[in-house]
Amino acid sequence: MRKITVLSMISLDGVMQAPGGPQEDPSGGFKYGGWTAPYGDAVGWKAVQKELGQRADYLLGRKTFKIFEAYWPGHADFWLGINNDTKYVLSKTLKKSNWKNSVFLKSLADIKKLKKTEGSPIQVWGSGELVQLLLKNDLVDELRLKIYPVTLGKGKKLFAGGAIPAAFTLIESAITPKGVVIACYKRAGKVKTATVGE
């Protein structure tokens, strides 16, 4: 069975939209594209390089796939894996692409079948609606978050659609000099409750 890891850059108020640049995703009138750039430093860059260097297949939503498809084939020197490894795309409308190693899935059932197969771990980048679908159906094994010290108000949010009650365990963490919290959480069963102080 394959592990599914969600990798996301989020603001303190959970916005994940257009972290990389002003033109990345201005949908809904979002004005703050590129909001992560002022917080870049060597520690954060090292964490990104580690993630980009991991062997993985990718699970993407349609919108993120279209953004990636237009950019990454011409930037193989920066992220070799995204071009060479398999990209699974959940879409009811897209059926083919000239970007090599792209496979199209039609439904949640297809994702569940994929997760049960043998192969590389699966990473989910961006793809807000897809992430919410995975969270609602308990298909996320790890959350690898970079939490930036900024609030953005409106914008696409990581947990906008809600999630099932679930416990996670922190398995790795770091804080960059510019205040970005890098945290990796592993799925850890059901939510436990108790009375504080007892």
Side-chain angles (χ1 to χ4, degrees):
M1 183 172 291
R2 303 218 219 177
K3 178 176 73 175
I4 295 180
T5 299
V6 168
L7 301 97
S8 188
M9 300 175 212
I10 62 172
S11 64
L12 289 174
D13 56 340
V15 174
M16 63 183 294
Q17 186 169 350
Q23 302 306 315
E24 185 177 10
D25 181 6
S27 64
F30 188 68
K31 300 177 182 179
Y32 301 108
W35 51 272
T36 63
Y39 302 98
D41 56 40
V43 175
W45 175 237
K46 185 176 180 181
V48 170
Q49 286 182 307
K50 180 180 176 182
E51 291 170 351
L52 298 182
Q54 294 172 344
R55 184 63 194 264
D57 287 336
Y58 304 94
L59 177 60
L60 305 170
R62 178 184 57 82
K63 293 175 186 175
T64 298
F65 176 77
K66 294 300 288 181
I67 293 169
F68 279 24
E69 180 187 39
Y71 183 82
W72 287 114
H75 297 83
D77 56 328
F78 187 78
W79 189 5
L80 183 62
I82 195 65
N83 287 308
N84 293 335
D85 294 324
T86 304
K87 294 157 288 289
Y88 296 96
V89 187
L90 181 64
S91 176
K92 294 179 181 177
T93 56
L94 293 179
K95 296 180 180 177
K96 63 180 181 177
S97 170
N98 291 327
W99 194 12
K100 65 180 179 180
N101 302 322
S102 297
V103 176
F104 294 89
L105 308 177
K106 295 180 180 179
S107 67
L108 177 64
D110 289 339
I111 295 174
K112 289 180 177 179
K113 288 178 186 175
L114 174 64
K115 184 168 173 48
K116 291 179 181 178
T117 63
E118 296 296 323
S120 297
I122 297 170
Q123 294 183 352
V124 183
W125 293 73
S127 308
E129 291 179 21
L130 171 60
V131 170
Q132 291 166 26
L133 179 67
L134 297 173
L135 288 168
K136 285 180 183 178
N137 288 276
D138 200 16
L139 293 173
V140 176
D141 299 293
E142 288 183 4
L143 291 168
R144 184 170 288 276
L145 305 178
K146 294 180 189 68
I147 306 164
Y148 288 76
V150 60
T151 56
L152 298 171
K154 295 181 180 179
K156 296 175 182 176
K157 296 191 176 184
L158 182 63
F159 297 106
I164 64 166
F168 288 83
T169 298
L170 182 68
I171 59 173
E172 186 180 340
S173 65
I175 300 175
T176 73
K178 293 195 175 179
V180 178
V181 176
I182 302 171
C184 184
Y185 298 94
K186 182 179 179 180
R187 184 72 170 85
K190 296 181 179 180
V191 174
K192 297 177 183 177
T193 63
T195 300
V196 175
E198 285 188 355

